[in-house]
Amino acid sequence: MSRILVAYATMAGSTEEVAQAVGEEIASSGAQVDVLPISEDKDLESYDGVVVGGPMIMGWHREAMRFLRKNRDAFQRIPLAVFVMAMSLTQTSETGVEGVPVYLDEDLPKPPANEERLNFKERYARLESYLRPVIKATRPAKPVSIGVFGGRLEYGRLKWWAVLFVMLVIQAPAGDRRNWEAIRTWAAGLPAMMQTQSPKAGE
Ligand SMILES: Cc1cc2nc3c(=O)[nH]c(=O)nc-3n(C[C@H](O)[C@H](O)[C@H](O)COP(=O)(O)O)c2cc1C
């Protein structure tokens, strides 16, 4: 039986629930799954696959990014999948970034006002600008897939500076935009994707 780690970072708590759902789907394939906050110390070598999830918080959550960089060497051997929670995404025709397949929650992207000339917010919220730093963090290893999903935004849970940033840059209305069907569909496909990418697959 394979062992899979789902490690998550969160600011206001909603990504933890997503990580639990991802873990449940993977476990239904027969794998043994640990769902843990990213801050907990883990020995990655005891896992056959790792999923790392976190929200966009002025760039992908710092702790999630740090975790990828810190374990860069391990990800040369252990298959990695990533999920990113977001409230704002500019619609483009991209289906991958740097050769990494992206699974997109179709309800999330919004078309730019003028496709010829993106404004600051639209450029900031392109798939490529969100995901390029994530992919760079594990180079030369690449995630088998990156899922990008709508998140949850509750102004009442945030500090004043966070409210200010979200109002000025993200300009997303409060609410829960988590698309559980999309999240679970993506997660259910991960065991097969990790199996084919695993260095152990040919054993
Ligand atoms: C300070 C702050 C910055 C954020 N930055 C972005 C961002 O750059 N792009 C985006 O799409 N969403 C952004 N969001 C929305 C969060 O990614 C979204 O609300 C997420 O689901 C929060 O997850 P959590 O509940 O696990 O913290 C931001 C939210 C906050 C509070």
Side-chain angles (χ1 to χ4, degrees):
M1 197 207 299
S2 58
R3 278 192 82 201
I4 307 287
L5 171 69
V6 181
Y8 64 87
T10 180
M11 186 182 198
S14 68
T15 306
E16 177 178 357
E17 292 160 3
V18 177
Q20 296 292 353
V22 168
E24 279 169 28
E25 288 301 323
I26 297 174
S28 67
S29 75
Q32 187 196 324
V33 182
D34 294 334
V35 180
L36 296 172
I38 213 154
S39 48
E40 265 184 43
D41 237 350
K42 304 148 222 60
D43 173 19
L44 292 195
E45 298 300 335
S46 61
Y47 291 99
D48 303 297
V50 177
V51 183
V52 180
M56 291 298 302
I57 301 286
M58 301 187 278
W60 200 40
H61 197 294
R62 269 193 207 106
E63 277 181 38
M65 200 64 103
R66 212 177 295 139
F67 182 83
L68 289 193
R69 286 200 199 100
K70 188 176 121 196
N71 294 295
R72 189 191 292 254
D73 288 346
F75 294 133
Q76 314 304 316
R77 300 180 294 281
I78 306 166
L80 165 74
V82 167
F83 68 87
V84 173
M85 308 306 293
M87 292 304 280
S88 160
L89 186 70
T90 306
Q91 187 175 312
T92 62
S93 54
E94 296 158 293
T95 53
V97 176
E98 295 194 17
V100 177
V102 174
Y103 183 97
L104 202 55
D105 168 358
E106 284 179 356
D107 299 339
L108 183 61
K110 293 277 166 289
N114 176 357
E115 282 191 21
E116 309 289 310
R117 217 187 137 98
L118 303 189
N119 62 31
F120 169 77
K121 182 204 151 199
E122 291 162 345
R123 270 201 315 271
Y124 168 82
R126 274 175 318 162
L127 199 58
E128 197 198 350
S129 41
Y130 280 0
L131 300 189
R132 214 173 262 283
V134 177
I135 293 169
K136 193 171 162 215
T138 56
R139 245 180 229 158
K142 285 182 177 176
V144 298
S145 174
I146 302 181
V148 181
F149 305 105
R152 183 186 72 188
L153 189 60
E154 307 276 358
Y155 285 105
R157 293 173 191 256
L158 302 176
K159 300 210 165 69
W160 66 267
W161 59 267
V163 173
L164 199 64
F165 177 82
V166 174
M167 288 174 91
L168 291 177
V169 181
I170 306 305
Q171 297 172 6
D176 190 346
R177 295 188 59 194
R178 288 171 298 174
N179 177 343
W180 295 106
E181 200 186 328
I183 291 163
R184 286 184 179 275
T185 302
W186 175 73
L190 290 179
M193 281 190 257
M194 287 181 161
Q195 183 72 33
T196 23
Q197 293 272 324
S198 169
K200 296 173 189 167
E203 281 173 10

